[in-house]
Amino acid sequence: MLCSSVEAQNFYRKKSPVRSPERTLYSSPPHPVEHHSNISTAIDQFAPTLLMKSPQPQHQFQSPVTDSRLFDEADERPLPALANRSQTNLDGANDEVASRSEGPEPLSDKAAREASSAIEIFGLEMVTKAYSKVYSFREQALNAMLAHLIHKDLADGDKVAVLRAAVLLLRKALTDKVHSVFLLSLNVLRSLLTTFASKHKLSKENIVHVLEKTVPLLLAKGVDTASRVRESAKNFVKDLAGLPLV
């Protein structure tokens, strides 16, 4: 009986599986040193070959600022608005040069009727220049009128007609937007109130007529947006108070 029980235990021991000790989930490889040495050997063996056969990158990074000429060309290109303005100024200059060579444009019917008295005194050519769109012709008309007022001798009956014709053209010149024309008109008005008035002994009534027609225009120029026009008008109005015949 003892032998049979021992044999039975041996029999069941052979049938039952032998359990190996449980391994942890993050167990290290059985031979870490050997595994590491194999990887190092492989890298040392194939690294030169891989480096030789690895293709070079086709697109290399380049700095966006590579050539200063790109910025120079961009700076030299004019803005569209400035280009159009330059072209407009050039066309206007060409038209003015053409008008100077051809002479002032003819008077319109309305301007001829308005300046009929001035045409009788100063002539059609000078009045046509006074109404011209080219400022240089308007300057020539004012210079011609100034010479007429200073140097020409007049009869007693003609001085009033000359005075009224001059005031008619001066009213147009005092509203001119070109500063040089406006300054010339002030010069003519000063000569009219000093040299012409004293030479032909104008009456107080005639002086008042000149002031009534011109001073409101000067006061309007005194609030002009252009500072030099505004200052010129203000200074002239102040000078009027010191004139002997005013």
Side-chain angles (χ1 to χ4, degrees), residues 4-172:
S4 60
S5 61
V6 173
E7 291 176 359
Q9 291 179 359
N10 293 333
F11 175 77
Y12 287 111
R13 185 177 297 174
K14 291 179 181 180
K15 293 292 183 180
S16 60
V18 180
R19 295 184 179 179
S20 59
E22 295 182 358
R23 295 183 180 179
T24 57
L25 183 61
Y26 300 99
S27 60
S28 60
H31 304 286
V33 178
E34 181 180 356
H35 181 69
H36 178 72
S37 61
N38 293 336
I39 294 176
S40 301
T41 304
I43 291 175
D44 295 338
Q45 181 179 358
F46 292 102
T49 306
L50 294 174
L51 292 176
M52 293 177 60
K53 294 183 179 180
S54 60
Q56 296 295 331
Q58 297 181 358
H59 302 284
Q60 297 181 355
F61 174 77
Q62 295 181 356
S63 174
V65 184
T66 56
D67 194 350
S68 60
R69 290 177 297 177
L70 297 177
F71 294 95
D72 296 339
E73 294 176 358
D75 293 339
E76 293 175 359
R77 288 196 299 267
L79 295 174
L82 296 180
N84 295 335
R85 185 183 302 175
S86 301
Q87 184 64 34
T88 302
N89 294 338
L90 181 60
D91 295 340
N94 293 334
D95 294 341
E96 185 173 350
V97 172
S99 300
R100 288 179 183 179
S101 60
E102 297 174 359
E105 62 276 13
L107 277 178
S108 63
D109 295 338
K110 179 181 178 181
R113 290 192 300 269
E114 179 184 331
S116 58
S117 61
I119 293 175
E120 294 178 1
I121 300 299
F122 298 111
L124 179 61
E125 181 181 359
M126 197 193 79
V127 175
T128 302
K129 290 182 178 180
Y131 278 79
S132 176
K133 295 180 180 179
V134 182
Y135 76 92
S136 60
F137 287 138
R138 301 198 296 272
E139 291 177 348
Q140 293 177 14
L142 289 172
N143 288 324
M145 184 169 60
L146 180 62
H148 188 281
L149 294 175
I150 294 176
H151 302 293
K152 192 169 184 178
D153 295 331
L154 300 173
D156 291 339
D158 295 336
K159 62 182 180 180
V160 177
V162 172
L163 176 69
R164 294 183 179 274
V167 170
L168 175 65
L169 296 181
L170 277 176
R171 284 177 55 83
K172 180 176 178 57

Side-chain angles (χ1 to χ4, degrees), residues 189-191 193-194 211 236 238-246:
L189 180 57
R190 181 182 287 105
S191 178
L193 293 173
T194 54
L211 296 177
F236 187 84
K238 292 177 182 179
D239 294 340
L240 284 178
L243 297 181
L245 297 179
V246 175

